[in-house]
Amino acid sequence: MVLTMSSSVVLPAHLVREQLAPRVEYWRFNLWHRISHLLLMISIIGLVLSRFPLKFSDAVGARLFTNLLGGVGNAGLIHRGSAIVLGIGCLMNLVYVGYLVLVKRRSILGPDSIVPRWKDVTDLWQHLHYFAGRAERPRFDRFTYWEKFDYLAVFWGMAIIGGSGLLLWFPTFFARFLPGVIINLAYMAHSDEAMLAFGFLIVVHLFNTHLRPERFPIDRVMFTGKITAEEWARDHTLEWERMQGDPERLEEMRVH
Amino acid sequence: MCSHLSRLVLIGLAALGLLLSACSGAAPPTASTVQTWYIDPVRFQRGAHAGLQCADCHTAISLGEMSAGHPNPDRVTQDAVATFDYTACRRCHPQEYDAYMHGVHAEVASGVRANQTDNPAPTCGHCHSPHYNPPNRTRAELIASQVATCGQCHGKATETYLQNYHGKAAANLGDTSSAACTDCHGAHTVVSLKSADKALEVCQTCHPDASVNMTGFLIHAQETVPAPAAPHAGESMLLFVTKVLLTILVVGVLGFFYAHTFIWFIRSAHNRMCGS
């Protein structure tokens, strides 16, 4: 009794509701997805912590923090190690896409795919109107437009930040066949795009997934892989409704 | 009532943002060489030249200027750094002295090379405090002092140096394996490094397998619209255009999504407070 009372004081209402109702949960992300997400998360934190003190090397504390990491050289090793982990995380995703297409013979252009479609544009438009109080909340499919952007931005970042990072890692090698000024461009792109990625993750991604009042304090789906029936129906309505037509597959996806 | 509240929150946050953006921007550093004729004996005795007699350097004293009374009082109005006879240093620091005499700075000082800037050509005294120069400085200390020493006259080169890896790591973070001004140019020889061959030699001291293309990496990269005849005008233009495009991309993407997030937050908060 005391326990439930105190927890209802501390926990937001929707979490208490979740605790009380018998939960029906479904798998949204499999182990492969979750591991690759975890790798991305850890490696990006490592990448940011190890090199932002260099980018903002004249800031207060940059030197202290660098020394805590064992100096600029050591921070560089952490940075490169993290970059490799990030690469593995991305590769895991590509392998999964290959598996879906080649083995499972699934189309990656369907409504439950992460590939953008015209509907994402109209969803965005409608969502903006919804913010202004002038429309209903859009009904999303398996992936919302911002989730697709989150996902694809990683590959965009990997191409630009990863590519330029290799140039900075092995400048003498690349300078054998490229003009030296390319390294200046690489440094610029690496630094600015990293700022973009960090600025995006720390505000937009964190807010969209965790800090929104209806999700606060944390959205566990990406870590546990499980989504409750209630959340599924609310956040990915179209997919949920489509699933109702396929009870066998729905049962398969249920968490036992 | 409720929509008032969210409007208030919105206006408040916008005002805070404006305030924060107005507060950024620091005062420029001022380099002043205040001349004082007082030589602090305590600091002098802590310096590298602690054991020396004044006359070891102020040779004019022993040469008899003093015997005719106090030195010419007009000297007070002269710039002592520029007028001092530095041949006195040569007696004990022949290596540094000779290196200096072969460098660009001495060429400019003696008029062999025209000075294209408003700065004076540096003498020993511009870069070293003869009275208080600290003894036995470590590499880290030497690196740290260079930004100020060379920066008095080469502000632009120092600024650009601090914008890429070598400067950030060496000068700001105290990494002694990275390159300081003098690692590339030499403290006294002052090589210009505009010739790729000379630059390559320098790069190879730390990047042994560097090829000549590597010297095309601009240590002092300008990211502004260059004057037509400026060195590396093409590269500067390329960097400038890239910088502008990247900035548009970063500001555009972040601006859009921050606004998106912000109004979403207002909407969610509004829904929460008003229970809709």
Side-chain angles (χ1 to χ4, degrees):
Chain A
M1 183 59 208
V2 176
L3 238 171
T4 46
M5 258 181 67
S6 63
S7 72
S8 69
V9 173
V10 176
L11 290 176
H14 65 282
L15 289 187
V16 177
R17 227 180 297 125
E18 267 175 33
Q19 280 188 343
L20 297 181
R23 301 213 305 185
V24 187
E25 288 185 317
Y26 295 89
W27 288 113
R28 177 159 160 80
F29 298 116
N30 65 26
L31 191 62
W32 189 261
H33 295 139
R34 281 178 278 145
I35 290 178
S36 65
H37 177 264
L38 211 62
L39 291 183
L40 295 194
M41 191 183 92
I42 293 169
S43 63
I44 288 173
I45 292 173
L47 285 163
V48 167
L49 288 184
S50 58
R51 269 317 191 216
F52 268 54
L54 182 72
K55 179 169 169 57
F56 300 106
S57 60
D58 51 354
V60 183
R63 191 166 192 155
L64 180 76
F65 194 80
T66 304
N67 291 343
L68 285 179
L69 292 178
V72 180
N74 252 347
L77 288 182
I78 297 175
H79 196 72
R80 286 153 208 198
S82 303
I84 292 172
V85 174
L86 176 60
I88 293 173
C90 285
L91 218 63
M92 282 179 71
N93 269 277
L94 290 180
V95 167
Y96 188 78
V97 173
Y99 164 80
L100 276 189
V101 173
L102 298 176
V103 181
K104 299 274 262 190
R105 300 267 158 211
R106 288 260 298 277
S107 161
I108 54 162
L109 298 175
D112 61 351
S113 151
I114 199 134
V115 177
R117 333 175 76 210
W118 180 246
K119 180 177 184 304
D120 296 309
V121 179
T122 56
D123 276 359
L124 167 63
W125 189 244
Q126 189 181 340
H127 211 198
L128 291 176
H129 275 77
Y130 160 74
F131 295 153
R134 278 192 266 134
E136 281 294 300
R137 192 165 168 273
R139 288 148 53 88
F140 296 110
D141 213 300
R142 178 166 172 78
F143 296 111
T144 63
Y145 64 86
W146 68 87
E147 286 166 341
K148 291 184 183 185
F149 186 85
D150 279 359
Y151 178 83
L152 293 171
V154 175
F155 289 97
W156 158 14
M158 275 306 279
I160 298 183
I161 308 183
S164 56
L166 277 178
L167 239 84
L168 296 173
W169 190 346
F170 306 108
T172 49
F173 170 75
F174 285 102
R176 259 165 232 283
F177 44 87
L178 292 174
V181 71
I182 296 283
I183 306 173
N184 286 91
L185 289 176
Y187 191 84
M188 201 186 253
H190 196 78
S191 173
D192 282 8
E193 285 279 318
M195 198 59 229
L196 173 57
F198 176 69
F200 184 87
L201 289 170
I202 197 76
V203 174
V204 183
H205 183 67
L206 218 63
F207 171 85
N208 285 354
T209 50
H210 304 303
L211 302 182
R212 267 192 283 150
E214 52 269 42
R215 287 278 178 80
F216 191 79
I218 188 168
D219 180 18
R220 278 177 262 94
V221 180
M222 200 21 122
F223 301 100
T224 63
K226 300 169 198 167
I227 189 169
T228 63
E230 194 189 11
E231 278 176 307
W232 192 355
R234 185 192 65 206
D235 291 343
H236 305 282
T237 319
L238 293 181
E239 186 194 25
W240 172 252
E241 285 173 357
R242 194 167 52 246
M243 278 314 201
Q244 302 308 308
D246 191 353
E248 239 169 74
R249 197 159 143 58
L250 194 63
E251 182 56 24
E252 238 174 67
M253 289 172 77
R254 196 159 76 81
V255 178
H256 294 286
Chain B
M1 159 67 209
C2 209
S3 68
H4 270 308
L5 199 66
S6 48
R7 204 167 300 155
L8 221 69
V9 172
L10 190 130
I11 292 170
L13 284 172
L16 189 73
L18 274 179
L19 204 72
L20 283 177
S21 60
C23 288
S24 57
T30 50
S32 65
T33 22
V34 179
Q35 219 182 350
T36 158
W37 285 70
Y38 175 64
I39 306 301
D40 183 346
V42 177
R43 280 179 70 202
F44 183 83
Q45 289 305 333
R46 277 204 298 258
H49 289 140
L52 270 59
Q53 299 299 314
C54 309
D56 283 338
C57 297
H58 294 279
T59 45
I61 299 177
S62 46
L63 281 179
E65 197 184 332
M66 283 295 278
S67 58
H70 199 272
N72 184 353
D74 290 348
R75 293 266 298 270
V76 185
T77 60
Q78 291 171 351
D79 179 359
V81 175
T83 55
F84 189 86
D85 178 12
Y86 289 97
T87 48
C89 314
R90 186 179 190 182
R91 182 152 68 90
C92 306
H93 303 297
Q95 251 181 325
E96 283 82 7
Y97 188 90
D98 291 344
Y100 169 82
M101 290 312 282
H102 288 108
V104 172
H105 286 152
E107 276 176 27
V108 177
S110 62
V112 172
R113 207 181 114 163
N115 189 344
Q116 285 149 6
T117 65
D118 300 333
N119 298 314
T123 59
C124 316
H126 282 101
C127 300
H128 300 293
S129 162
H131 305 118
Y132 310 127
N133 195 48
N136 303 321
R137 283 178 294 174
T138 61
R139 174 159 163 81
E141 284 167 340
L142 288 171
I143 291 175
S145 66
Q146 278 174 27
V147 168
T149 305
C150 311
Q152 335 163 31
C153 301
H154 300 295
K156 197 78 211 170
T158 305
E159 191 185 303
T160 49
Y161 158 75
L162 287 173
Q163 268 161 16
N164 67 43
Y165 179 87
H166 296 120
K168 286 167 188 266
N172 287 343
L173 299 176
D175 178 33
T176 51
S177 65
S178 180
C181 314
T182 52
D183 291 323
C184 293
H185 296 289
H188 304 115
T189 46
V190 192
V191 187
S192 131
L193 299 182
K194 277 177 185 156
S195 101
D197 292 345
K198 280 195 181 149
L200 181 59
E201 240 173 72
V202 165
C203 306
Q204 280 176 340
T205 56
C206 298
H207 304 285
D209 48 354
S211 57
V212 72
N213 270 2
M214 182 95 161
T215 61
F217 172 69
L218 301 180
I219 305 287
H220 304 289
Q222 304 275 348
E223 293 162 6
T224 49
V225 179
H232 307 296
E235 283 95 334
S236 298
M237 198 64 207
L238 179 65
L239 290 172
F240 172 75
V241 171
T242 312
K243 184 89 208 164
V244 169
L245 291 178
L246 279 170
T247 307
I248 292 173
L249 181 74
V250 172
V251 172
V253 172
L254 284 188
F256 175 79
F257 279 102
Y258 279 18
H260 180 274
T261 298
F262 183 68
I263 53 176
W264 192 346
F265 177 77
I266 297 283
R267 164 57 49 193
S268 297
H270 181 95
N271 287 355
R272 239 151 224 240
M273 286 189 284
C274 306
S276 70

